[in-house]
């Protein structure tokens, strides 16, 4: 894939390749899945998974923004994806999101 100068994009929408500084078709597919996640869950990807010691989402605390961004980048590179809630996301949509994140 092509190389980019630095990381470009929003945490939770960045594919592992983009976090590592690369870019190819998988980057757009990953971002598409993240957008579908936001549409079905009414939340940013990883906004519910990354919490402080009290269980408060880091994204809701401005002073923790950098910690949240770093945690999301690390999780993404490790292959972690946001948790899909079957109460909010129909089975076929869940499968589409999962397949896109697996590309």
């Amino acid at each position: 894939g092509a190389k980019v100068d630095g990381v470009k994009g929003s945490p939770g929408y960045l594919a592992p390749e983009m976090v590592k500084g690369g870019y190819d078709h998988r980057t757009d597919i990953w971002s598409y899945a993240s957008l579908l996640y936001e549409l079905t869950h009414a939340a940013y990807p990883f906004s519910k998974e990354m919490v402080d010691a009290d269980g408060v989402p880091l994204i809701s605390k401005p002073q923790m923004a950098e910690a949240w961004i770093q945690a999301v980048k690390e999780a993404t590179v490790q292959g972690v994806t946001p948790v899909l809630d079957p109460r909010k996301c129909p089975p076929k949509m869940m499968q589409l999101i999962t397949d896109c994140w697996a590309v």
Side-chain angles (χ1 to χ4, degrees):
K3 290 289 183 187
V4 294
D5 186 25
V7 176
K8 310 288 187 215
S10 301
Y13 298 87
L14 290 172
E17 297 76 27
M18 182 62 92
V19 175
K20 295 174 189 174
Y23 183 92
D24 61 25
H25 68 282
R26 296 173 295 178
T27 306
D28 294 327
I29 295 170
W30 175 281
S31 297
Y32 176 66
S34 295
L35 175 64
L36 293 175
Y37 175 91
E38 183 177 354
L39 291 171
T40 56
H41 290 73
Y44 291 114
F46 291 110
S47 62
K48 297 177 188 208
E49 289 87 349
M50 306 297 176
V51 297
D52 67 11
D54 298 320
V56 177
L58 296 179
I59 195 172
S60 67
K61 302 169 84 175
Q63 71 274 22
M64 296 299 292
E66 277 303 313
W68 181 77
I69 291 168
Q70 192 57 39
V72 170
K73 287 180 180 178
E74 290 173 11
T76 300
V77 170
Q78 293 171 9
V80 176
T81 59
V83 176
L84 296 168
D85 184 344
R87 295 170 298 167
K88 297 181 178 183
C89 191
K92 288 184 179 184
M93 182 66 75
M94 285 182 79
Q95 188 62 54
L96 175 60
I97 294 169
T98 301
D99 290 348
C100 288
W101 278 332
V103 166

